Structures are given as structure tokens and as C-alpha cells.
Amino acid sequence: MELGTETEAKIIQAATEVFLEKGKDGARMQEIAGRANINKALLHYYFRSKDKLYEKVFREKVFRFLDELFSSVPQTDDIKIVLKEFTANYIDLISSHPELVRFILWEIRRGGQYMSDALRDIFAKHGFTKFPFLEKVQNAISEGTIRPLDPLHLIISVIGICVYPFIAQPLLENAIPGIQISSEGFLQKRKEEVFNLIWEGIQP
Amino acid sequence: MELGTETEAKIIQAATEVFLEKGKDGARMQEIAGRANINKALLHYYFRSKDKLYEKVFREKVFRFLDELFSSVPQTDDIKIVLKEFTANYIDLISSHPELVRFILWEIRRGGQYMSDALRDIFAKHGFTKFPFLEKVQNAISEGTIRPLDPLHLIISVIGICVYPFIAQPLLENAIPGIQISSEGFLQKRKEEVFNLIWEGIQP
DNA sequence: GTCTATACATCGATAGAC
DNA sequence: GTCTATCGATGTATAGAC
């Protein structure tokens, strides 16, 4: 388990920037080398190919993101607190890594294999056998805290509600004058509206 | 206003396929020519460059999609019917073009200019001055049919809920064994769960 | 309009000096 | 480890015969 050299770190840094901006196919090894202030040959010395470099960058970025995401699932069994905190944390997390959304979208469009692998790794690391959410929702239904519903669909909806504004960010900011998705004001309001909609939507 | 030749249609068809599969940068003119059963030279005869061809394909595809989407907003003022029909229609529409959705979203994260242009054109064509939804929601709030909330956030949430399963489709189908996003069973269930969550979520 | 042949640039990747 | 130089493949685009 090495820490990696300084040059390696510079390459990863530069590669991340370029891959995020241009996508895998649009990215050029020349540009990555340029931003890292080295030459192309050195890129291939450290990482064997463009594919390997991309995989390394993607895995690292996404793994950290998912790790942070799943660490933000509250420990309590109180479904109201779980939902409130998770949505707020999730929105905060995404808003502080807006570029990453594009990266992940790109990868999913390509088939989503890396993402699935990363998810599996995260599950293994945290010892999950299923979405940590799922069980809490099922329990809440059994106890009658929330109305009967399909937990899987609820989770999909919650994630969709949280993540969509950031996916559509350029479009929304272009189509709706004055809106600023990443502004503190919008995020604050968004968290309230999201939680209210979901919470009211699942009352018995 | 010509109808275009048969060859032109073949090219558009092939180009659409390849661009959707590989993205703009990943697409190769050679492959497009191959699928259209012509040679590369003819591509440049009909469309001057790869850029022009891409723009043409994207604009056409997206315009039709948005046109269909906005045509599916029900005419009635009954907010319950509006929501029920719109979500159902929207989910149906997306499920019949899942690759297009992922493509559009990726394109949006690239800057979204084409999309914004297309949106503006659609608004102009239908004579909208704002989201047709917005006014209906505002009226429903004034009449007390639904609780006070921010209409803009509601719309964002509704769209997010509908579209997200298809964005994450490859990931979901990989991570959750047995799930089939585009299957009739899932879609049917999805429509019910989505409407229930939203409708219950906005009750006074 | 459609083809073959080819120009020209750029890509990822490698060889070899230091 | 780091560089220059360059390879072979492939990309977009064009010239010119038919």
C-alpha cells in the first residue's frame, strides 16, 4: 500500500480534471500531460494506457463519493429523522461535488459496470447486504409509522428528487432566469421542500 | 422545406444510433457510414462536418421529444388529473426512449446550450410563456386544493421522480437482481407509487 | 450523387538516450 | 524517472473520376 509519488498525484489530479470536463473519449492524453506539466511518455510510464488511467481516476473519485454518501445515513431508527437528515446530507454532498454528477452520468450511460462495482465494494466495506434504507422503511411500515408502500420505489424517488436538480442544473439555470442551484438560498429551500413532500407523502 | 433524400434519411438514422451509443466524441464517421451502407465521402457531401451532423441529429431528436412531452400536459385545470396523467404519460414517453434520456442528460451536463435552445423553440411553438404546469399548481394553491408550497420545487421534484429510474437504469438493473425498469410490471407499479407519493405529499 | 483514393492532422503508445 | 522522437493506426475531410 504505497502513498504514490508526487508526480503520480499530479497526473491523477490533471487526469481527473480533464476526464470530468471532456468525458473519457473527449479527453486527450496530451492535455492531461500538459496540465500535469509532464509529457505523454511519462503518462504511459505511470499508467499503462488511457483505459487504466481512466479506471483508476473513476474508481477513486466514485468510491470516495459513495463512501461519504453511505456514511451519511443516520444511525437512528426514527424514520422521520432518517429521511430528514439523509436528504439534507445527500443534497449537501452532491452540491459540493457537482462535477462528479456528470462523471457518473457518463459512466452509467456507458453501461454502469464501474459504478456497479463501486457500489458492491462499498456495500462490502460497510457490511451492508441491502440498502441500509430499505430495512428502516420496512420497519416503519410494519409499525404503522408510515403508510404501506413499496420501499424500493420510495428510495428511488427520494434519490431522484435529491439528485435531479444537479443533473439538470445547466438547463434549469438557463431556462429559469435568476435561479442558482448551488446557491445557499436554493439549497436551503430545496431541503425543506423535498422533505415536506416526501414526509407528507408517506403519512398513514 | 425539402423532405430530404432517401440517402439523407439513412444517414440521419445511422448517425442517431451511433451518437446515442457512443456519444459525440466516441462516435466515428466510419461507423456511421458503414451502418448507412455508404462511404465516408458521402457523409461529408450531405453534411459538411461531424459537428454539423451531430447538431442536426441532436436538434431533431430533442425537439421531437420535447414536443411530445409538452403535448402530453393535460388540458384540464383539475390538478389531480393533471398530475396523474402527466406523470403516467411522462413515464411512458421516457420508457420508450431510455437511451435518448440518458443522452440528453449527459448533453445537459456538457453545458446544455442545445437543450436550452430546443426548449425555447418548443415554448415559442406552443405559445408558452412559462411552464404550463406552473400556473395550474399556483391556482390549486390559491383555491386550497393543495397545500401551500413552492410550485417550482414541486415541478422539479415531479420531473426528477419520473425520470430518475431511467437515468439510473443500467445501475439499478445491475445492483438489484430481478428488476427490469422497462418491463410493463415495473412501469405500472411505478406510476401508481409516484402519483400516490406526490398526491399525498401535497394535500392541504 | 456516388464512388476510390488520398491528404493531412492527431491520437495512443513505444523505443531508446540520458 | 524523465525526456525527445517517432511509430502505426485512425480520425476528419477533400480531390477527382465516373
Side-chain angles (χ1 to χ4, degrees):
Chain A
M1 190 60 118
E2 320 159 22
L3 282 176
T5 65
E6 191 184 340
T7 304
E8 195 172 329
K10 276 199 307 183
I11 294 177
I12 292 283
Q13 165 69 20
T16 304
E17 285 179 26
V18 177
F19 279 133
L20 280 178
E21 267 176 46
K22 310 288 176 69
K24 185 184 177 185
D25 293 322
R28 296 294 163 234
M29 296 295 266
Q30 177 58 55
E31 187 173 357
I32 294 174
R35 290 208 203 182
N37 278 103
I38 54 165
N39 53 63
K40 278 191 299 176
L42 212 51
L43 276 184
H44 288 86
Y45 172 78
Y46 277 95
F47 308 88
R48 243 183 33 211
S49 66
K50 188 181 181 181
D51 275 346
K52 301 270 182 199
L53 179 56
Y54 177 80
E55 190 177 332
K56 177 105 177 173
V57 165
F58 184 84
R59 279 184 136 69
E60 213 158 281
K61 264 291 207 189
V62 168
F63 188 87
R64 283 194 198 171
F65 178 80
L66 289 179
D67 198 31
E68 209 172 335
L69 171 61
F70 279 102
S71 302
S72 74
V73 178
Q75 296 287 353
T76 173
D77 278 333
D78 183 331
I79 191 71
K80 184 172 184 178
I81 295 180
V82 168
L83 275 173
K84 195 176 191 74
E85 291 196 2
F86 177 76
T87 51
N89 290 343
Y90 194 24
I91 288 173
D92 280 335
L93 181 61
I94 304 173
S95 70
S96 53
H97 305 283
E99 356 72 47
L100 196 59
V101 173
R102 201 158 140 246
F103 205 31
I104 291 177
L105 271 180
W106 167 260
E107 193 52 41
I108 288 180
R109 208 171 66 74
R110 288 179 76 245
Q113 194 53 57
Y114 286 168
M115 272 301 290
S116 300
D117 291 350
L119 255 184
R120 197 200 48 222
D121 292 349
I122 289 288
F123 269 51
K125 179 188 170 186
H126 289 258
F128 298 149
T129 54
K130 51 181 167 177
F131 266 109
F133 239 103
L134 213 56
E135 208 163 352
K136 294 181 195 291
V137 173
Q138 283 165 336
N139 291 341
I141 295 174
S142 305
E143 295 166 7
T145 318
I146 66 177
R147 66 175 171 83
L149 48 77
D150 186 318
L152 182 60
H153 279 276
L154 176 62
I155 291 175
I156 294 177
S157 298
V158 169
I159 298 179
I161 285 183
C162 289
V163 82
Y164 181 74
F166 299 94
I167 296 177
Q169 181 170 6
L171 185 61
L172 292 174
E173 294 185 349
N174 216 314
I176 304 166
I179 203 176
Q180 278 292 336
I181 303 290
S182 290
S183 72
E184 199 44 57
F186 181 88
L187 294 179
Q188 189 59 36
K189 189 77 193 297
R190 183 75 197 153
K191 290 179 204 167
E192 291 172 21
E193 293 282 334
V194 162
F195 174 74
N196 288 338
L197 181 67
I198 297 170
W199 183 245
E200 296 300 326
I202 61 178
Q203 290 307 297
Chain B
M1 190 60 122
E2 320 158 23
L3 282 177
T5 65
E6 190 184 340
T7 304
E8 196 172 330
K10 276 199 308 184
I11 294 177
I12 292 282
Q13 165 70 20
T16 304
E17 284 179 27
V18 177
F19 279 132
L20 281 181
E21 265 176 48
K22 309 289 176 69
K24 184 185 174 182
D25 293 322
R28 297 293 163 231
M29 297 295 267
Q30 177 58 56
E31 187 172 357
I32 295 174
R35 291 207 203 181
N37 278 104
I38 55 164
N39 53 62
K40 283 189 294 176
L42 213 49
L43 276 184
H44 288 85
Y45 173 77
Y46 277 95
F47 308 88
R48 241 184 36 209
S49 67
K50 187 183 181 181
D51 275 346
K52 301 271 182 196
L53 178 57
Y54 177 79
E55 192 178 329
K56 176 105 176 174
V57 165
F58 187 80
R59 278 184 137 67
E60 210 159 285
K61 265 293 206 189
V62 168
F63 189 86
R64 281 194 199 171
F65 180 80
L66 289 179
D67 198 32
E68 208 171 337
L69 171 60
F70 279 101
S71 302
S72 74
V73 178
Q75 296 287 352
T76 173
D77 278 332
D78 184 331
I79 192 70
K80 184 170 183 179
I81 296 180
V82 168
L83 275 172
K84 197 176 191 73
E85 291 196 2
F86 177 77
T87 50
N89 290 343
Y90 194 24
I91 288 173
D92 280 335
L93 178 61
I94 304 172
S95 71
S96 51
H97 308 282
E99 355 69 35
L100 183 60
V101 170
R102 288 190 286 274
F103 185 73
I104 288 176
L105 289 173
W106 194 77
E107 187 62 34
I108 288 178
R109 286 300 307 182
R110 260 177 109 238
Q113 194 52 58
Y114 286 167
M115 272 302 289
S116 300
D117 291 351
L119 252 186
R120 199 201 46 221
D121 292 349
I122 290 289
F123 269 54
K125 178 187 169 187
H126 288 259
F128 297 149
T129 56
K130 51 180 169 179
F131 267 110
F133 240 101
L134 214 55
E135 209 163 351
K136 294 181 195 292
V137 173
Q138 282 165 339
N139 291 340
I141 295 173
S142 306
E143 294 166 7
T145 318
I146 66 177
R147 68 175 170 82
L149 48 76
D150 187 317
L152 182 60
H153 279 276
L154 176 61
I155 292 176
I156 294 178
S157 297
V158 169
I159 297 179
I161 286 182
C162 289
V163 82
Y164 181 75
F166 300 94
I167 299 175
Q169 180 171 7
L171 187 59
L172 291 174
E173 294 186 347
N174 215 316
I176 305 165
I179 202 176
Q180 278 292 337
I181 302 291
S182 290
S183 72
E184 198 47 53
F186 181 88
L187 293 179
Q188 189 60 35
K189 190 78 193 298
R190 183 75 195 152
K191 289 179 204 168
E192 289 171 21
E193 293 281 334
V194 163
F195 174 74
N196 288 339
L197 182 66
I198 297 170
W199 183 245
E200 296 299 327
I202 62 178
Q203 289 308 296

